[in-house]
Each structure stands twice: as C-alpha cells, then as structure tokens.
C-alpha cells in the first residue's frame, strides 16, 4: 500500500482477469476476517477503503461471472452483427446499383413505349391528314387558280375601289330621276372620263352593277317580277341600296308589282295619302319594322311624313324613336318605306328630291321589247318559253345555291382554328360542297348553252316584239296631247294578246310575223282611235307611221324637225324672194330646206327663180300634193321629202298630204278610224274596267246607252243613272255597291263636276274583288286635267263626238226623231220647219269645225237644244193651227230658237249676231215662196233645199241625196275658210308633234341641244335694247301731259319690264347651261321654247298677245322698240302702228278723252268711228289729222278690200288675210253718228279673236260695204292687229 503507484494500479487493475479460484480464496479470506465495515472504519480508514474496494471487486466478480458469457455472447453476437452488417451493406450497395440500373432501363423502356405510341398516333394523324389534304387539294385545286386570280383582282380592286366607290356613290345620290340614256351618258361617258382624266384609279370596264349587286340578287329580283333590262336592274339597286327611301315614278306600275311581290313575305302594308287612316297604319309599320308602301302618290306629298322620309331618328337609353305627327313612335330599324306614283312626268320640288330617292321606272323601248318577246314566244312556242322560264328559275336557284355553298365554305375556312386538316367537319363540308358545286356548275353550263339556243329561237320573233314596243310608246305619248289619253301597260298587253289570238297562223315564220305585226298595228290603231278626239286621230296615225319608219332607218330626225318647225332662225335670209306670189315665210323655209339637205334640195331656190311658170302652175292647183311636183322633184323625192317641199309652198295642203303619206306608207285603213259601235264597246268591256266616255261639245251618249241596254237585256231596272253634282257622292257609292252585287249597269254622268271625289271612286273600284259578271260602270266626263290616272289607265276610253259633216249630222238628227213626234202637229208647214230646224242645228254645229272664223267660242250645241226647239215649234204651230191662224208666228219662233235656246249658249255678242243672221236667213214666209223657190245653198254641183211635204222618209231621202263632204259656202263662209281650217289643223298638229319629240339629242346641224339653245339665247341677248329711262323722259315732257302721253309712259313701263325679264332669264339660262346655277323649271321652259323656236311663256305674259314664232316675234319686238323710241324723241307718230302697243285700246280711249277735252264734249256720250283711207303705206301720210289719228298694221280676215271703190269685197281664192290700208280713227259725239252701208267689224289682237272671257277685242271698226251685212256676218269677217 505504501507503493507510490498503488492507487493507480488499483485503478488500472483488470478486474476481468480475476479467476474463479482467486475469488474463492479471497471470499474465504474475507470470511475469515469476519469484520464489518464500520468496525474496519474504526480501525483504519485506509483499511475500510480497501475493504470497500475488495467487496466491490467481489461484487463485480459475482456479476461478471454471470455477465461474461453474456458479454462474450454479446461480443460474439456483435461480431456476427458487424459481419452481417458489413455483408448487408455490401448486398445493399449491390442492390442499389442493380435498382438504379433497373430504373434506368425501365425509364428507357417507358420512353421507348411512349415514343412508339406517339409515332403510332402521328402516323394515324398523318394518314388522316394525308387523306384530308388529298381531299382539300383535290377539292380546292379547281378553286386555286380562280382564287389566286380573285386575290390578285381583289388586290387591284382594293386600289381601284376609290374610283369605283366614287362613281357608285354619285350614281346612288344623283341618278335616280333620270332616263336610261341620260344615266348612261352621265355615268359611263362624262363621269368615267373625268375620273380617268384626273388619274383616280377605276376598274375597267367599270359597271355599276358589279359593285352594287351580283347575278344572284338580280336573278332573285327578276323572279320577283322586276324586268331584266339594264335600267330596271339599276332601279332595283337604287331602290334597295340608296340611303333615302325610294319614290318610284312608275307609270307602267312595274315597280309597284315588284315591290309588292318582293315585300309580300315581310308583311307589306299598302296605303295611300287618300286613306283616312294611313297615319295609323304607318305608325304600326314603323313600330314593328314592316315595309310600307304609299301608292298613287301625286305631286303633293303630305308633310306629316317628312320626319320619316328624312329619317330624323332620335335615340335615348338604347331606344330609337321618331316623331310622326304629334306623337313619338318607336323606330324599328327593319322598317322600309316605299312611295309610288303613276304620273309619268311629275313635277316635284327640290326638297322632295332631297328627302326621297326619286327613281324613274318608266319602261324603256328595249325593256318593253324583251317583255313583249316573252309574251309572243309564250303564245307561239309555249314549251320554249316555259323551258326558258324554268331555266331562269333553276339558274337563279342554282346561282344562289352555288353562292351559298361558296359562302359556307369560305366561312368554314375563315373561322377554322388550329390545323385545318384536322377539321373533319370542314373537309366534310368541302366534299359535299364540291360535289354539289360541280353538279350545279355543270347545270349552269348546260343552262347557258340551252339559254343561247333558246335565245336564238326567240330572237326570230323579235321584230314583232319591237313593233309592239314602238306602238306602246306611240300610244303612251298621246298623254302629252291630252291628259285624258292615259293607257296602262296592262291594257296594252290585253290588246297585244288579243292581236296574237286574232292574227292568221302560218307555218312560215316571217309570214306569221307579218300577220302578227299587221293585226297588232291595226288593232292598236283602232284601240287608240276609240279614245281619241277626231282632231287627234290623224296625228296619232302620223306619229305611229313616223316612229315605225324611223325604226326601219327611214325618215331622219333632221327631216322630221324641219317638217315640224320649218325655218326658226332669228336671222332672215340675205337672198330676196323672186316672186310676189310666194309669201315671206315660204321663202325662208325654202332657203333653209336647200341649206339643210343640199343633196336633194340644194338647187331649189335657183329652180324656182328660173322656172316661175311651172312652180306657179303647181302652186295654184287645188290639190298640188296629188299632182306631179315640178321639174326633177317629181322623181327625186321619197314620200316624206314631198311633205317637206309642200310645207314650204302650201301649208293648207299639208294636212291632206299627211293623210296621203300615211295611206301610201301604212295603208288606207290607217286614215279611216273605226266607227264607234256601242255593241263593240260592250263586247270589249269587262266588269273590272269602267267605260269612260270623253265628251265633246254636242255629244251625249246617254240615249245611245239606254238603247244598247234595252237591246242587251239590261233595260228598265237593271240600268241606273246618276248625274253627278254636289251632294251626290254618297248616293253614287251606294249605287255602285248595289250594282256590283246585283250585276246592274251604272252610269255616272258629268264626273268632271266632282274631280276630288273621283279619288274615292278609284279607291272603291280597287276594293272590288269579285264583281257580278254582268256589272258595268259607265262614266261620262269632259276632258279635264285632274281626272285620276288610275281610272283612265284601267278603263276603256270612248270619245263621243257629234257626226262630222252636214249630211251625217242631219242624218243623226233625223235618226232620233220618231214618226210619232213628226205626226204630233197637224200644221202643214210643221214637217218642213223641222227640216229647217235640223239644218240650222247641223249648221251651228258644223261652223265649229272652222275654228275662230266659225265661232269665237266653241259652244256645246247638242241634241237637247234641238229637242226643246222641236217642242217650241210643235207648241206654237199647234196653237196657230187650232186658232186657224194662217200666219206663222215667226217673231216668237226666231226669238225663242235664235235668242233663247241657241243664243242662250252664246256668250259672245258677235256670235249672237251670227245666230240672229241665220234666223233671218232661214225663218220667214220667203222659204215657202212658190215663185222664188228657197235654197239654203245652190251651185252647179249641189242644191240644199227643203223637200216637199211628206212622211219622214221623204226628208231622210233628201238628206241621203246630199254630198258627204260640204263646202264652207253652205254655212255662208268663204271657200277660203276650208284653207284656214286645214292650215290651222296642220299648225296644231305640228305644235303637238313638237311636244312629242324627244327634248334631247342633236339639232339638225349636228350641234348639241344645249349649244343650240345657248347660241339662240346669246343672239337674242345681243339684240336686246337698253331699258328706257322713264325719269328723264318724264322730265323732258314737262308738266302738261296729254292723255296719249300717259299711255306712252304706261307702255314704256311695260316694255321695260319685258326687256328686264328677257335679259334676266337669258343671262340665267346661259349660266344654267354652263352649270353655274341650277336649272329651274322656269328656265327649262325658256330653254325648251328657244329650242322649238317658240316664245317662252314668261315673256309672253309681259308682251301683247301673239301667235308668231320666235323669229317673227323678235322682228315685231324690234319694231315696237323703234316706234317707242321715235315717239319719245320726235313726238306722237303721224301714223300709229297699233299692234306695237301692249294695250292698244288704252290709246284709243285716250284719243277720245283728248278730243273731248279739246271740244268740251261729255266723255260718256262720245265714241269712235273709222274710215279706210286710200293711203297704202304709213310713209304716204305726211301729217296728223285734225281730229283723231291714223293707224296702220290692221289685217282683214274673211274678206278683201277694194281700194278703188273703198269697200269690202269677196276674198280672192287662197288669200286668207289682206293688209288693210291706213285707217283713220275719228272720235265723235254719239248722237251725231249716223252710219249707212257700213259693217261693224270687230278688231281683235290676233286671229284667235276673242275668248270665252271676252279677252282679245280691241275696238269695233266701220267698214263700207255695198252688200247686205248678213253676207259679211256669216263669213266671219274681222280685223286683227297681227298676222300670224
């Protein structure tokens, strides 16, 4: 224990090394020690420590013994464990490596599998796409070229859209109201040229249709009833595309029918401004978006619809509304408004053109020709036309289908997202589309080929269709002659159909066509003539002949213009007329004719100068037109050129020559109008179309209608009459309703008295759907302007006129006198006086034919006048017979017949003078003088006398023995009256034909109409004098102004107004022609008048009445200015040219006034009388007379003046008017005036004499006569201030 390292050795002692024996020893040692720890403690601390240590080691050894095997086991196990662990780790490491390898492999596998799957899918897609691509390529391959081209084209068009849109916008804005020719010229010539000149890109060839519509739409329109011609297609575009609502000028109702058909499925509402509830209907249409059509619009458009027309739509909170009347109406954007008028040439104000799209639907010649061709082919080759119509429908359907298919394909292509080849639907659509499209294209190609074949066959019938179209236009143009001559296309087509049925069939086409054309032309002539006045029938035939000749390339427009207008230049020719028997105008016409047509007439003035004898002989013939023309002109001229030559020499024979021309060109039946037979009219009539009798003075169809009714079984209760007048409106409509239901005839007389109500009648007629087959409506009316076109177009028009010619007139009168009425009176002279009365009745009616030389006012002497006079005769003669009075009461009869019955109609005092003269000539005991038998008129050829007393047949036989045509001498007129009649007839015909000429195109000398008018305007403007300075003139006259000077100042004031008006209108016209200002309707009238060589109306109003042409009027105008100038500068002229004053009567009144002042006579008891001097010209007069004045420039009509004997004498043949020598007008006190052997002669302003208003009479002159004045009264002698 004392060892130094003892503690350490203890500490480091290996307790495990102690063996069991050693333990046993120690245990025994300890046991022997037998001491406790405490005891040891007490003995020695070190010892106790040692003991503790030993016991602890022992304890340990005990434990260790148990533990050791365990430990060893543990150690062994631990060793095993570590070994196993190492092995495990090794295996695990190996496993991880394998697993990693496996994972890599499985990844690789999966990737490979995925790739395989993907490739498989891709292969499938590729296969599908390949098929699709194949289909697409094969499908769209054919489109490729087209679409490539289209794309190229579209790229170019994108550039050219600028010009295209400009022209199309202009077309939509401005072109609607114009005719096809005008549109064509404006768009395709002027505008297109202008656009190209300015370098604006424009498609070539440019067509409006290609940008604004397409074939499919056009086909649809055609199937809805729009004619297929270019004008109609343009109108269709304007109607559907314009920004304003359309107002269609539609005299043939084609637009109306198309719009009705087109909008039918959209619930179209139709109304008119005459409907009381049109506003309500319009409101509904606006609210619910229905289309709305106003039909029968006239020139007045109700301003209540202005907001709708102007599209003044207000929008607030997502709602659109419009003000209609006094209320707001919701506006549906689908609403469409159409307005339609039947008027062929309505005059709308500029505001209407601004609000609505005015579109001219008037049918064109080409368009109508195509329509008529369909009718003819439909009749002649029904199967062909049906095939064609089917073809058109199929083509239309196929084109639409093709377009729809193409659209759906392009839509699919455009909207397709992702890869196009994967769009199964698209490919399917394409396949379907392509197969259909191919089929449709094949059909269309086939259709095109078939259409060409059909068209070739159809064109064979075109000549007849062209003839029909020309005839319709001739008929339609007659509305310009008289507004009652209205014909609808529908009624024309009925005649057309009728002609096709009635014309003789023939297997050879050209013969069949000739038959159709001849029948059609004659039927059209008859149909037209039935509704024309006698005076317009030749005009109708001639116009028809000219139009048909021009269609064949004959009768050039220049020749026709000369025939109608003659020489209208303002300058007179330098070459003087060679012979005095030629009048001035004739010579001017001859010079113009030679200048215009030098090939044919170049040598005419020389021929006339060199061969006076031949020309004079021919000129003096009664009927030069029926004799060979002089010199080379008998062979060299065609039948129309003969008219031109005749016009220059004998205007009075032109009317007859026109008749001959129509006869030679068309045949005699075209100058023999059909006789109106009531049976034929009844046969032509239908329950749906009224029969309109257009009355003329002296005609009354009522009695003829009663007879027809009795013959047709409609007498008694089945025919109703109503004379229209105020308060009869409701009665008429009730009678109409009853007649329609029961199948009665209804005659409404004098419809012109209720013009406004006729609109209601038109409405009522439209509402009649299924009338009784026996129902007929007969209307009688005077020709008036405002008669509804609808009724006229729908109706059968019949003009009733009293018979023409004395014989026919008397025959008609005796036809209506029954045997009973002739036997009523037993007085021996009764029957003879009835004959005289019938003669008077015929004479007063026939005088009308001679115009103003017959009556100043054309009176309506008719059958009722005769019937009442017959009663008067009967009453007075029966009374005389019963009282055994041998005297006949001539005084009473002459007064009642001449003054009351016939004279009661005469409102003109000079006309009454004629009637009184007839009474004196035909009524008196002298008519029964046995020694000096009475003759109404007698010459070598005829004898108009009273037959011996007997039965009715005696008188009828006497009438039958009379000649058909009578000379004017029978009425007491001079044979020259016939010349005057024919001259006036020719002038009237020319005037109307000028109206019918197209107001466009070129004048004879190949300059445009505008240039020609501009030239005339400039010429006149250069000739206009300065206005008179009235202030200076008044100043020079001083304070003492005589009555005649007052007249001068008034005249100058009026003349200044005329100069100012002329100057202003000419300047404005020239500006309008150059486009600086708008062409107003007033300026248009001026332009038209200048073009036709007439005086514009606005000048006419400010000038004295005249019938002169513009050229002659300008000479008259210049002469007036010269007279005024000399009067102002040199004082009152020695001889006053009375015609040069605006109001000549004011001068004569002033003359009386001045004389009364001078002599101190009372003005109201002073008058004028006249003496014809021996001075031939004003130059012969050197000084003014002491009393009164000299006047010149008076023309005597109806008589001649003998200068030697200073009295009236009979006119020379062919001399209608002579200039009177200078006339002396002398104021005198009435009570001192005692005239003997003088004829009170009216002095009129022009040969139109005095009208019904009493305008035209200037004063009355006194002309010396050696004959009885009745001679001059019946000859219609008068003086005029102007020659025509």
């Amino acid at each position: 224990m004392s060892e130094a390292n003892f503690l350490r050795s203890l500490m480091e002692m290996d307790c495990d090394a102690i063996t069991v024996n050693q333990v046993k020893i120690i245990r025994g040692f300890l046991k022997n020690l037998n001491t406790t720890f405490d005891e040891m403690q007490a003995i020695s601390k070190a010892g106790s420590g040692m003991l503790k240590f030993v016991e602890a080691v022992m304890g340990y050894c005990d434990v260790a013994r148990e533990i050791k095997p365990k430990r060893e086991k543990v150690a062994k196990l631990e060793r095993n464990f570590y070994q196993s662990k190492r092995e495990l780790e090794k295996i695990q490491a190996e496993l991880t490596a394998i697993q990693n390898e496996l994972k890599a492999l499985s990844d690789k596998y999966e990737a490979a599998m995925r790739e395989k799957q993907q490739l498989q899918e891709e292969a499938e897609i590729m296969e599908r796409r390949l098929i699709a691509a194949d289909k697409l390529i094969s499908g769209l391959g054919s489109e490729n070229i087209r679409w490539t081209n289209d794309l190229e084209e579209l790229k170019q068009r994108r550039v050219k859209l600028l010009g295209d849109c400009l022209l199309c916008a202009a077309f939509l804005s401005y072109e609607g109201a114009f005719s096809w020719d005008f549109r064509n010229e404006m768009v395709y010539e002027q505008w297109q040229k202008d656009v190209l000149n300015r370098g604006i890109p424009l498609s070539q060839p440019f067509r409006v249709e290609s940008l604004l519509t397409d074939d499919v739409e056009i086909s649809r329109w055609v199937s809805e009833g729009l004619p297929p011609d270019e004008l109609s297609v343009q109108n269709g575009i304007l109607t559907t595309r314009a920004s304003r609502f359309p107002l269609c000028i539609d005299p043939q109702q084609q637009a109306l029918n198309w719009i009705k058909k087109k909008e039918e499925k959209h619930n179209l509402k139709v109304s008119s401004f005459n409907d009381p509830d049109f506003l309500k209907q319009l409101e509904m249409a606006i609210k619910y978006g229905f289309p709305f059509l106003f039909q029968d619009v006239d020139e007045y458009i109700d301003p209540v619809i202005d907001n709708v027309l102007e599209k003044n739509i207000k929008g607030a909170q997502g709602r659109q509304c419009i003000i209609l009347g006094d209320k707001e109406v919701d506006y549906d954007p689908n609403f469409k408004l159409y307005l339609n008028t039947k008027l062929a040439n309505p005059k709308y104000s500029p505001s209407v053109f601004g609000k609505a799209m005015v579109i001219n639907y008037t049918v064109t010649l080409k368009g109508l020709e195509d329509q008529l061709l369909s009718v003819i082919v439909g009749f002649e080759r029904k199967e062909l036309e049906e095939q064609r119509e089917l073809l058109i429908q199929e083509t239309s359907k196929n084109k639409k289908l093709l377009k729809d298919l193409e659209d759906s394909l392009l839509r699919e292509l455009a909207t397709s997202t992702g890869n196009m080849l994967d769009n199964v639907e698209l490919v399917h659509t394409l396949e379907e589309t392509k197969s259909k499209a191919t089929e449709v294209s094949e059909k269309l190609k086939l259709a095109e080929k078939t259409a060409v074949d059909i068209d070739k066959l159809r064109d064979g019938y075109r000549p007849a269709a062209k003839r029909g179209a020309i005839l319709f236009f001739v008929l339609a143009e007659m509305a310009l002659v008289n507004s009652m001559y209205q014909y609808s296309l529908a009624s024309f087509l009925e005649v057309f159909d009728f002609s096709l049925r009635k014309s003789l069939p023939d297997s050879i086409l050209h013969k069949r066509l000739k038959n159709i054309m001849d029948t059609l032309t004659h039927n059209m002539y008859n149909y037209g003539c039935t509704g024309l006045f006698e005076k317009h029938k030749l005009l109708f035939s001639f116009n028809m002949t000219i139009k048909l000749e021009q269609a064949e390339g004959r009768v050039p427009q220049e020749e026709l213009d000369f025939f109608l207008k003659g020489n209208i230049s303002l300058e007179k020719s330098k070459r003087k007329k060679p012979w005095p028997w030629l009048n001035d105008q004739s010579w001017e016409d001859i010079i113009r004719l030679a200048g215009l047509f030098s090939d044919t007439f170049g040598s005419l003035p020389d021929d006339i100068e060199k061969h006076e004898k031949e020309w004079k002989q021919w000129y003096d013939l009664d009927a030069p037109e029926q004799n060979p023309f002089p010199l080379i002109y008998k062979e060299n001229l065609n039948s129309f050129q003969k008219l031109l030559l005749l016009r220059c020499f004998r205007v009075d024979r032109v009317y007859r020559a026109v008749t001959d021309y129509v006869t030679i060109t068309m045949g005699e039946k075209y100058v023999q109008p059909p006789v109106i037979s009531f049976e034929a009219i009844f046969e032509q009539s239908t329950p749906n179309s009224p029969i309109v009798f257009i009355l003329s003075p002296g005609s009354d169809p009522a009695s003829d209608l009663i007879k027809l009714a009795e013959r047709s079984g409609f007498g008694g209760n089945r025919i109703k009459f109503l004379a229209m007048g105020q308060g009869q409106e409701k009665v008429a409509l009730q009678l109409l309703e009853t007649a329609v239901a029961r199948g009665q005839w209804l005659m409404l007389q004098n419809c012109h008295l209720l013009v406004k109500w006729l609109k209601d009648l038109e409405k009522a007629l439209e509402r009649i759907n299924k009338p009784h087959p026996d129902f007929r409506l007969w209307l009688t009316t005077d020709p008036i302007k405002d008669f509804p076109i609808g009724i006229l177009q729908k109706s059968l028009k019949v003009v009733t006129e009293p018979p023409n010619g004395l014989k026919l007139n008397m025959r008609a009168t005796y036809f209506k006198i029954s045997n009973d009425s002739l036997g009523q009176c037993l007085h021996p002279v009764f029957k003879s006086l009835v004959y005289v009365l019938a003669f008077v009745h015929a004479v007063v009616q026939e005088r009308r034919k001679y115009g103003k030389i017959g009556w100043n006012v054309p009176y309506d002497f008719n059958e009722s006048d005769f019937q009442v006079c017959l009663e008067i005769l009967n009453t007075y003669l029966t009374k005389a017979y019963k009282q055994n009075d041998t005297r006949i009461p001539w005084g009473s009869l002459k007064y009642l017949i001449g003054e009351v019955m016939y004279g009661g109609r005469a409102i003109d005092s000079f006309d009454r003078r004629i009637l009184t003269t007839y009474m004196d000539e035909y009524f008196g005991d002298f008519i029964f003088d046995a020694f000096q038998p009475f003759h109404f008129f007698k010459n070598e050829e005829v004898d108009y006398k009273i037959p011996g007393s007997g039965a009715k047949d005696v008188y009828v036989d006497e009438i039958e023995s009379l000649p058909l045509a009578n000379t004017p001498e029978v009425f007491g007129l001079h044979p020259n009256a016939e010349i005057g009649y024919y001259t006036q007839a020719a002038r009237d015909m020319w005037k109307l034909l000028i109206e019918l000429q197209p107001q466009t195109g070129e004048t004879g000398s190949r300059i445009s109409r505008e240039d020609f008018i501009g030239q005339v305007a400039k010429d006149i403007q250069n000739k206009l004098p300065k206005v008179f300075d009235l202030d200076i003139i008044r100043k020079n006259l001083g304070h003492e102004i005589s009555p005649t000077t007052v007249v001068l100042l008034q005249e100058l004031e009026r003349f200044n107004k005329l100069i100012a008006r002329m100057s202003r209108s000419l300047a404005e016209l020239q500006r309008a022609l150059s486009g600086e200002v708008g062409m107003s309707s007033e300026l248009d009238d001026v332009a038209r008048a200048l073009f036709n060589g007439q005086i514009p109306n606005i000048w006419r109003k400010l000038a004295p009445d005249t019938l002169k042409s513009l050229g002659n009027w300008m000479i008259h105008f210049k002469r007036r200015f010269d007279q005024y100038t000399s009067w102002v500068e040199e004082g009152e002229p020695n001889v006053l040219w009375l015609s040069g004053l605006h109001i000549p009567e004011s001068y004569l009144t002033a003359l009386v006034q001045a004389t009364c002042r001078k002599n101190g006579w009372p003005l109201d008891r002073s008058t004028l009388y006249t003496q014809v001097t021996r001075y031939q010209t004003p130059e012969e007069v050197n000084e003014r007379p002491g009393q009164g004045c000299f006047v010149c420039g008076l023309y005597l009509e109806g008589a001649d003046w003998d200068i030697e004997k200073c009295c009236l004498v009979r006119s020379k043949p062919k001399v209608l008017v002579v200039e009177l020598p200078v006339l002396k007008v002398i104021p005198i006190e009435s009570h001192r005036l005692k005239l003997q052997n003088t004829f009170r002669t009216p002095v009129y302003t022009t040969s139109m004499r005095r009208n019904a208003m009493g305008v035209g009479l200037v004063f009355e002159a006194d002309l010396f006569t050696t004959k009885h004045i009745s001679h001059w009264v019946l000859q219609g002698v008068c003086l005029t201030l102007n020659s025509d």
Side-chain angles (χ1 to χ4, degrees), residues 477-494:
E477 275 177 351
M478 292 305 288
L480 296 170
V481 174
N482 186 322
S483 57
M484 297 298 282
Y485 301 160
Q486 297 285 350
Y487 298 93
S488 68
L489 190 56
S491 58
F492 168 77
L493 287 171
E494 282 172 22

Side-chain angles (χ1 to χ4, degrees), residues 1043-1218:
T1044 49
T1045 313
V1046 172
V1047 171
L1048 170 65
L1049 290 170
Q1050 290 170 344
E1051 287 286 324
L1052 293 180
E1053 210 170 291
R1054 291 191 188 96
F1055 195 67
N1056 279 353
K1057 276 184 188 167
L1058 175 61
I1059 296 174
R1061 193 79 190 86
M1062 287 171 73
S1063 174
R1064 190 164 73 244
S1065 56
L1066 290 169
E1068 278 177 6
L1069 178 63
Q1070 287 176 63
R1071 287 179 64 202
L1073 288 172
S1074 60
E1076 291 174 33
V1077 295
M1079 178 76 87
S1080 65
S1081 60
E1082 191 178 82
L1083 288 179
D1084 195 32
D1085 287 344
V1086 175
R1088 176 177 291 205
L1090 298 186
F1091 181 64
N1092 291 332
Q1094 296 163 344
I1095 308 163
N1097 282 332
I1098 56 170
W1099 302 357
R1100 212 181 262 280
K1101 285 176 191 165
L1102 299 173
D1105 261 355
T1106 180
L1107 300 176
K1108 293 180 187 295
S1109 66
L1110 183 62
N1112 290 329
W1113 184 77
M1114 282 308 296
I1115 297 168
H1116 183 271
F1117 176 82
K1118 171 85 172 65
R1119 196 175 157 192
R1120 283 181 71 200
F1121 174 74
D1122 294 345
Q1123 173 162 290
Y1124 288 141
T1125 310
S1126 85
W1127 192 345
V1128 167
E1129 289 169 3
E1130 298 160 21
E1132 208 166 321
N1134 291 338
V1135 181
L1136 188 79
W1137 176 52
L1138 209 53
S1139 322
L1141 301 183
H1142 191 118
I1143 303 180
E1145 52 266 48
S1146 65
Y1147 178 78
L1148 298 172
T1149 310
L1151 195 69
V1152 176
Q1153 210 175 349
T1155 315
C1156 288
R1157 276 187 197 173
K1158 188 175 160 190
N1159 298 336
W1161 298 341
L1163 187 59
D1164 56 341
R1165 295 210 190 125
S1166 305
T1167 184
L1168 291 168
Y1169 80 99
T1170 63
Q1171 284 173 353
V1172 182
T1173 66
R1174 290 182 185 270
Y1175 301 125
Q1176 288 285 64
T1177 61
E1179 286 72 34
E1180 295 171 27
V1181 181
N1182 299 322
E1183 56 180 2
R1184 288 179 58 78
Q1187 295 266 25
C1189 71
F1190 290 119
V1191 296
C1192 67
L1194 297 176
Y1195 296 88
L1196 184 59
E1197 189 181 350
D1200 201 345
W1201 186 257
D1202 186 326
I1203 292 175
E1204 296 303 313
K1205 296 179 183 163
C1206 264
C1207 69
L1208 283 171
V1209 288
R1210 213 172 143 72
S1211 296
K1212 295 185 186 78
K1214 298 191 194 64
V1215 181
L1216 303 183
V1217 173
V1218 292

Side-chain angles (χ1 to χ4, degrees), residues 57 178 260 329 461 536 547 596 795 800 959 1014 1249:
V57 170
F178 299 117
K260 281 183 175 174
V329 179
Y461 294 93
H536 294 144
K547 289 287 195 298
L596 277 179
S795 66
T800 60
I959 292 167
R1249 303 198 177 196

Side-chain angles (χ1 to χ4, degrees), residues 572-573 577 580 582-590 1112:
K572 295 299 164 205
S573 63
K577 69 172 178 181
L582 274 173
N583 70 44
D584 296 347
Q585 189 59 48
S586 292
W587 183 244
E588 294 299 333
D589 287 346
I590 289 164
N1112 290 329

Side-chain angles (χ1 to χ4, degrees), residues 446-580:
L446 186 70
E448 252 171 60
K449 191 171 166 299
T450 318
V452 170
D453 296 344
I454 290 176
D455 281 347
K456 212 168 174 182
L457 286 168
R458 291 172 86 242
D459 272 348
Y461 294 93
R462 195 167 281 281
K466 189 174 183 183
R467 168 71 59 98
I470 293 168
L471 291 174
F472 173 73
F473 277 96
V474 170
L475 197 60
E477 275 177 351
M478 292 305 288
L480 296 170
V481 174
N482 186 322
S483 57
M484 297 298 282
Y485 301 160
Q486 297 285 350
Y487 298 93
S488 68
L489 190 56
S491 58
F492 168 77
L493 287 171
E494 282 172 22
V495 180
F496 193 79
D497 267 351
F498 176 74
S499 305
L500 290 176
R501 289 200 303 278
K502 290 287 180 200
S503 50
L504 288 174
D506 201 303
S507 52
I508 300 163
L509 180 63
H510 77 89
K511 286 187 180 172
R512 169 67 179 143
L513 281 180
K514 189 176 183 311
N515 294 344
I516 290 176
M517 280 149 75
D518 290 349
T519 311
L520 172 65
T521 312
H522 194 230
N523 283 348
M524 276 310 307
Y525 172 70
N526 286 347
Y527 175 71
C529 279
T530 308
L532 299 181
F533 286 111
E534 199 64 44
K535 60 183 176 188
H536 294 144
K537 285 177 184 173
L538 183 63
L539 164 82
F540 177 57
S541 307
F542 181 64
N543 194 28
M544 182 193 284
T545 309
I546 290 294
K547 289 287 195 298
L548 293 175
E549 287 288 277
Q550 286 187 331
E552 299 296 327
R554 297 185 283 270
V555 187
Q557 188 63 35
E558 291 88 7
E559 286 186 10
L560 180 61
D561 280 345
F562 176 80
F563 176 64
L564 300 182
K565 298 176 189 175
N567 184 355
I568 56 171
S569 68
L570 301 178
E571 296 299 327
K572 295 299 164 205
S573 63
K574 304 281 182 285
R575 191 167 173 174
K576 292 280 168 274
K577 69 172 178 181
W579 312 113

Side-chain angles (χ1 to χ4, degrees), residues 575-761:
R575 191 167 173 174
K576 292 280 168 274
K577 69 172 178 181
W579 312 113
W581 51 266
L582 274 173
N583 70 44
D584 296 347
Q585 189 59 48
S586 292
W587 183 244
E588 294 299 333
D589 287 346
I590 289 164
I591 298 293
R592 178 89 175 136
L593 185 63
L596 277 179
F597 311 108
S598 49
D599 300 350
T600 321
F601 297 105
S603 61
L604 182 61
D606 298 336
D607 290 341
I608 294 168
E609 233 170 280
K610 289 174 192 158
H611 305 94
E612 189 214 359
K613 193 175 163 216
E614 283 99 319
W615 286 103
K616 177 83 169 83
Q617 266 176 352
W618 177 74
Y619 173 80
D620 283 337
L621 289 167
D622 277 344
E625 76 283 356
Q626 289 173 354
N627 287 281
F629 283 50
L631 313 176
I632 54 167
Y633 301 100
K634 60 165 87 61
E635 272 108 32
N636 287 8
L637 304 182
N638 64 35
S639 47
F640 189 76
Q641 287 167 336
K642 285 180 181 171
L643 290 179
L644 306 187
L645 192 56
L646 190 69
R647 181 199 208 289
C648 297
F649 287 92
R650 291 280 301 272
V651 173
D652 61 297
R653 299 308 297 169
V654 166
Y655 197 77
R656 296 287 318 169
V658 165
T659 309
D660 296 343
Y661 170 70
V662 175
T663 308
I664 293 163
T665 316
M666 299 276 290
E668 203 175 346
K669 56 186 179 184
Y670 291 98
V671 290
Q672 294 174 342
V675 178
I676 288 174
S677 125
F678 276 68
E679 266 79 8
I681 293 163
F682 177 48
E683 233 172 84
Q684 284 178 46
S685 67
T686 65
N688 290 317
S689 59
I691 300 98
V692 175
F693 289 112
I694 304 170
L695 303 175
S696 64
S699 68
D700 179 20
S703 56
D704 291 323
L705 188 66
I706 292 170
K707 287 172 189 160
L708 172 74
E710 281 164 2
R711 288 197 297 275
S712 315
F714 283 88
N717 212 17
R718 295 195 65 189
I719 182 165
K720 302 284 181 201
F721 288 88
L722 182 65
M724 299 311 292
Q726 241 174 349
Q728 297 292 353
E729 298 92 329
K730 278 190 178 154
V731 185
L733 289 175
Q734 282 164 2
L735 283 174
L736 178 68
E737 214 171 289
T738 316
V740 171
R742 297 185 185 168
Q744 297 170 340
W745 285 10
L746 173 61
M747 186 179 204
L748 302 178
Q749 290 166 295
N750 301 334
C751 292
H752 54 276
L753 301 177
L754 284 179
V755 184
K756 291 233 164 66
W757 172 78
L758 288 172
K759 293 266 183 203
D760 299 342
L761 178 66

